[in-house]
Amino acid sequence: MTINMENSVSRYTLIAVLFQHLIIVLLFSLVPAIAMNNTTTAPTAGILHENISLSTVDIIKENGYAVEVHNVITEDGYILELHRMPKNKSGKGPTRNHPVFLHHAFLSTSAEWVISGFENKSLCMQLVDDGYDVWLANSRGNTYSRKHVSMTYKQKAFWNFSLHEIGKYDLPASIDYILIKTNASQLHYIGYSMGTTVFFIMASEKPEYQPKIRSQISLAPVAYLSKIKSPIKYLAPYAKTINIKFAQLWNGMLLPHSRLRTFFASTVCGNKITQKFICQRSMIFFVSGSDPRYFNTKIIPLIMGHFPSGTSSMVVEHFAQLKLKDSFSQYDYGAAENLQRYNVTEAPSYNLKSIHVPITLIYGKNDLVADVEDVMRLKDQLPQLMDVFSVDNPYCNHVDFLFSVKVNEHVNDPVKGILRKTDAMGWRYSGPSPSAGGSQVTGDCDCAPTNGTTVNPISASDSNLVPDLDYFAENLDAIIASAMPRTVGHDDEVDFVRERELQKFVFGKLIEFVNSAANNRRRNGSNDESSGRTNIQKLTEKSAHVHGSKVNDQT
């Protein structure tokens, strides 16, 4: 495979400009095509899920719980908004010994913990009913934490942060605030995806905070990403250039919540046809792993109504560095700046073996982001591991930890059992539980091509290059097939063959769209990024207008 570097580099700017709008524009354009190919089901575009626009606070109140909003100031001046649930539905306050602090995933907010409340599947609501004082985090830069003591979010300096700053500053400030307000000496920490990443950063960089953690539960833990199977891994080589372009065009702000995305959630993801074929299978499943059996499709409009919520493009590059460098390390600024910041040319690794906190790892066998092998590599680094086990579902993907129809049985009940044990005042860590020894990597959790196809590898001589769109077009079938899980039965195999074909169709169209946009831009002879941004905004508005609504994107 020969990579066309010239074409790849010439598309860098275009990729950055398109990144925020591309998926939405494409999906709007696909609505008529999908409807035509599914004439047995009448289209229902325009149906608005009544709760899409509700905030986290509103959702909690709608579910009958009390809620408080607290503002926390970090050491470096960011103002974070914490959401507290201090009482159950009956108005009764906490009866447990230690508060619980929950941290959300990448590009998300506290809303991810509560939107399943309408289905009686919200972990945090169940914890409040179980007697805990529950606090929900919002990391810097998301919808609820976009303030600073001396800057506005429109300034470039505001977005100058990576995973490191979230772990080193956001978590300590929040933990101290919660312990002071609750008059407690320790708290339980539950992290999901990125929420686990920033915890490991905090615990290694701020060892004085380890005694403040009663227990830690990692859902879909992410530290190492070398074995990630999600197709988003192919974006990793582009991350640095995308970060540079986002810094130039939007001061480093990445994918904030906007009115256009709310419109997308209520129309495309609220339509029975497009929800199934676009929002569920060709967006959520493509990135997170396919689970046609247990994923809760009813709340897709709510999920997409709150996601994405915005962050810094440096966070994306930091995640990409974890993949490319095959290490759990600090943000790499380049040799020269690393020398100034770290006194070494290479970004130093976080010391996971220094974390003496009782930790439980819960993983999914079909999680394309937190791969089983990476989780087991993390397990071997943690000196006070309480337990490690997989969710009881062979198709558990990265989002099933929150949005499975069986989330109560598969995730919430085990989590509550762990908390009840560790919350007792007389409890002390006494080593791994028996189940930890049996949680080894096994063949039933491998994802592999089901049709014998393999991805055309990049040669070692091209290791410093990145694949262009021709590479993706040539290898699309193998890339999608490699993300499909091993099937349990014949009926499952038929479902996954169908999903593979649907994903090939959508992402084949995506590649055609990008190529077409690139060719049009070259014909117009424009190299001006701001001009490109204006054209994309016009295209987005035109697409929205064609489908019945004039939308202005806040970004």
Side-chain angles (χ1 to χ4, degrees):
M1 172 67 186
T2 301
I3 299 177
N4 189 333
M5 188 59 179
E6 181 179 353
N7 288 343
S8 179
V9 173
S10 68
R11 287 173 177 152
Y12 272 145
T13 300
L14 179 68
I15 289 172
V17 175
L18 290 176
F19 194 73
Q20 295 208 67
H21 303 278
L22 187 55
I23 295 294
I24 293 175
V25 174
L26 169 71
L27 297 182
F28 277 129
S29 69
L30 287 176
V31 171
I34 293 177
M36 290 176 63
N37 288 318
N38 293 274
T39 55
T40 57
T41 305
T44 55
I47 294 178
L48 179 65
H49 194 293
E50 60 181 357
N51 297 311
I52 283 176
S53 300
L54 295 182
S55 67
T56 298
V57 170
D58 292 334
I59 293 174
I60 293 172
K61 290 179 179 179
E62 284 287 316
N63 279 274
Y65 294 88
V67 60
E68 297 173 0
V69 176
H70 294 258
N71 291 318
V72 178
I73 301 178
T74 68
E75 182 182 331
D76 56 347
Y78 286 82
I79 303 174
L80 313 177
E81 182 170 309
L82 301 183
H83 296 142
R84 182 189 190 185
M85 299 178 65
K87 299 177 181 179
N88 62 20
K89 282 187 176 181
S90 302
K92 187 176 181 180
T95 58
R96 299 289 181 174
N97 296 314
H98 305 91
V100 180
F101 182 38
L102 296 93
H103 200 291
H104 58 80
F106 172 62
L107 281 174
S108 193
T109 69
S110 56
E112 72 179 17
W113 297 107
V114 300
I115 61 179
S116 291
F118 296 111
E119 300 281 321
N120 297 315
K121 294 179 173 65
S122 165
L123 173 61
C124 66
M125 293 179 187
Q126 292 175 23
L127 291 178
V128 173
D129 291 336
D130 221 17
Y132 294 96
D133 190 345
V134 173
W135 296 72
L136 308 178
N138 282 293
S139 64
R140 60 181 64 194
N142 80 6
T143 302
Y144 301 109
S145 297
R146 204 163 291 169
K147 294 180 181 179
H148 192 277
V149 295
S150 62
M151 296 185 289
T152 73
Y153 74 90
K154 296 181 180 180
Q155 293 177 267
K156 188 174 183 178
F158 181 93
W159 300 100
N160 185 27
F161 63 85
S162 67
L163 291 165
H164 183 80
E165 285 71 29
I166 298 175
K168 187 174 181 179
Y169 299 117
D170 290 13
L171 264 59
S174 299
I175 290 171
D176 283 341
Y177 184 91
I178 293 169
L179 293 179
I180 291 172
K181 284 292 182 179
T182 59
N183 195 30
S185 60
Q186 291 181 309
L187 55 75
H188 301 284
Y189 183 101
I190 300 176
Y192 165 54
S193 190
M194 188 193 78
T196 70
T197 312
V198 294
F199 174 85
F200 297 134
I201 292 173
M202 179 208 71
S204 63
E205 290 294 295
K206 295 274 193 175
E208 64 271 24
Y209 279 84
Q210 294 183 23
K212 300 181 182 183
I213 310 301
R214 182 72 175 177
S215 68
Q216 197 267 13
I217 300 175
S218 292
L219 306 178
V222 174
Y224 298 106
L225 286 169
S226 62
K227 302 297 182 181
I228 180 174
K229 291 186 174 70
S230 173
I232 61 174
K233 67 183 180 182
Y234 296 101
L235 293 177
Y238 293 99
K240 182 175 183 177
T241 303
I242 290 176
N243 181 18
I244 293 172
K245 291 303 178 183
F246 268 85
Q248 293 174 349
L249 300 176
W250 292 287
N251 289 329
M253 179 172 59
L254 176 76
L255 295 173
H257 184 74
S258 66
R259 289 188 294 270
L260 178 58
R261 292 181 181 87
T262 301
F263 172 76
F264 169 75
S266 62
T267 53
V268 175
C269 292
N271 179 290
K272 291 182 179 179
I273 299 172
T274 51
Q275 177 192 100
K276 178 179 180 181
F277 292 101
I278 295 177
C279 302
Q280 176 187 335
R281 298 196 171 187
S282 296
M283 290 182 67
I284 297 173
F285 283 2
F286 181 79
V287 173
S288 302
S290 298
D291 182 11
R293 181 173 296 177
Y294 292 123
F295 180 71
N296 189 357
T297 59
K298 292 181 181 179
I299 60 174
I300 287 179
L302 263 176
I303 297 171
M304 303 308 294
H306 289 269
F307 179 90
S309 66
T311 190
S312 166
S313 55
M314 287 178 64
V315 173
V316 176
E317 187 180 359
H318 198 171
F319 272 123
Q321 289 174 1
L322 301 184
K323 162 62 180 172
L324 297 174
K325 295 177 179 295
D326 189 21
S327 66
F328 185 48
S329 54
Q330 298 189 36
Y331 184 86
D332 188 348
Y333 291 89
E337 191 167 348
N338 286 344
L339 192 60
Q340 292 181 346
R341 289 174 175 266
Y342 310 130
N343 204 31
V344 288
T345 57
E346 291 290 330
S349 295
Y350 296 110
N351 187 6
L352 292 168
K353 291 185 177 181
S354 70
I355 302 176
H356 292 276
V357 172
I359 294 175
T360 300
L361 306 178
I362 307 177
Y363 65 92
K365 294 181 177 180
N366 182 37
D367 189 334
L368 299 187
V369 179
D371 183 79
V372 179
E373 289 190 52
D374 286 330
V375 174
M376 293 303 151
R377 182 179 176 186
L378 169 64
K379 178 200 76 169
D380 292 338
Q381 300 293 310
L382 299 173
Q384 283 198 206
L385 185 74
M386 283 181 56
D387 203 354
V388 52
F389 59 90
S390 64
V391 172
D392 186 20
N393 166 21
Y395 299 140
C396 178
N397 63 25
H398 198 64
V399 293
D400 276 335
F401 288 88
L402 298 178
F403 307 128
S404 166
V405 295
K406 293 283 189 177
V407 72
N408 286 341
E409 300 94 317
H410 291 165
V411 179
N412 295 353
D413 288 347
V415 167
K416 288 186 287 185
I418 295 167
L419 290 179
R420 287 168 189 156
K421 178 178 70 174
T422 58
D423 193 65
M425 293 303 294
W427 177 84
R428 294 293 183 272
Y429 171 78
S430 59
S433 71
S435 65
S439 300
Q440 302 298 325
V441 182
T442 56
D444 63 350
C445 61
D446 288 340
C447 295
T450 57
N451 59 358
T453 57
T454 57
V455 179
N456 194 0
I458 300 175
S459 67
S461 61
D462 290 330
S463 60
N464 62 321
L465 306 182
V466 293
D468 61 11
L469 293 180
D470 292 336
Y471 174 88
F472 293 114
E474 178 182 335
N475 291 278
L476 186 60
D477 185 72
I479 289 171
I480 292 174
S482 66
M484 293 293 164
R486 296 187 186 276
T487 53
V488 175
H490 175 72
D491 292 341
D492 295 338
E493 185 174 350
V494 171
D495 287 340
F496 284 113
V497 168
R498 184 181 300 112
E499 284 190 26
R500 188 168 67 241
E501 293 303 314
L502 285 169
Q503 291 184 15
K504 282 171 55 181
F505 169 75
V506 171
F507 287 94
K509 292 293 183 183
L510 176 60
I511 291 172
E512 291 178 10
F513 178 85
V514 176
N515 269 323
S516 175
N519 292 333
N520 287 337
R521 192 163 182 269
R522 280 196 295 270
R523 282 197 296 268
N524 292 335
S526 173
N527 291 317
D528 180 38
E529 286 90 347
S530 61
S531 174
R533 181 187 180 193
T534 302
N535 290 336
I536 295 302
Q537 287 177 328
K538 290 180 178 178
L539 181 59
T540 304
E541 293 173 357
K542 180 179 179 181
S543 178
H545 180 72
V546 167
H547 290 85
S549 179
K550 184 72 167 63
V551 180
N552 292 317
D553 193 332
Q554 288 178 343
T555 63

